[in-house]
Amino acid sequence: MKLSIITVTWNSQEQIREQLRSVQAGCRDVFYEHIIVDNGSTDGTVETVQKEFPELLILENPANGFARANNMGLKKSSGEYLLFLNPDMRVAPGSLDTIIKWMDEHNDVGIASVKLVDEQGKWNED
């Protein structure tokens, strides 16, 4: 497994579909797993993911904590690389292929961040 993506959700039904589709488009060549850790959503987030993306692993965090949920996903992950991706984030088509290729070519690098832009493509400085 090359890449493990961990997304922590809480009442993210309105955002999760678009995020998951963007990940599929972002990983055209990279073998990846996407782990969803839900923090007790009541809006149908879990049911939406189960119905539309049945191949994904969904974990339920009974304690409802962001750090704990990320750690739960980490323990289940098997990727060489990790990406913690919030449900409101989107990745550009092919972008995860690009960053994984770059990481593979730079063995002296242990962590990388990507440029965050808003919906208009402007640099997000916040």
Side-chain angles (χ1 to χ4, degrees), residues 60-87:
E60 295 190 40
N61 179 19
N64 191 2
F66 185 72
R68 179 184 170 129
N70 277 302
N71 286 333
M72 286 175 64
L74 178 62
K75 287 179 185 175
K76 291 288 186 178
S77 68
S78 60
E80 181 179 342
Y81 299 107
L82 289 169
L83 171 61
F84 293 95
L85 189 66
N86 290 343

Side-chain angles (χ1 to χ4, degrees), residues 16-92:
I16 197 68
R17 284 182 191 98
E18 191 175 333
Q19 189 244 44
L20 296 173
R21 288 182 187 125
S22 80
V23 167
Q24 290 172 334
C27 289
R28 294 179 180 147
D29 300 322
V30 171
F31 184 53
Y32 73 98
E33 64 184 349
H34 199 152
I35 301 167
I36 308 297
V37 186
D38 188 70
N39 270 329
S41 294
T42 58
D43 69 343
T45 298
V46 171
E47 294 79 9
T48 296
V49 174
Q50 288 172 330
K51 180 180 177 187
E52 297 183 31
F53 304 90
E55 71 280 5
L56 300 184
L57 174 61
I58 303 171
L59 305 175
E60 295 190 40
N61 179 19
N64 191 2
F66 185 72
R68 179 184 170 129
N70 277 302
N71 286 333
M72 286 175 64
L74 178 62
K75 287 179 185 175
K76 291 288 186 178
S77 68
S78 60
E80 181 179 342
Y81 299 107
L82 289 169
L83 171 61
F84 293 95
L85 189 66
N86 290 343
D88 62 339
M89 303 300 290
R90 309 292 175 264
V91 297

Side-chain angles (χ1 to χ4, degrees), residues 95-115:
S95 61
L96 297 176
D97 294 329
T98 300
I99 191 70
I100 295 301
K101 181 179 180 212
W102 187 88
M103 289 294 292
D104 282 345
E105 293 170 353
H106 294 85
N107 293 330
D108 58 327
V109 176
I111 189 170
S113 181
V114 295
K115 180 178 177 181

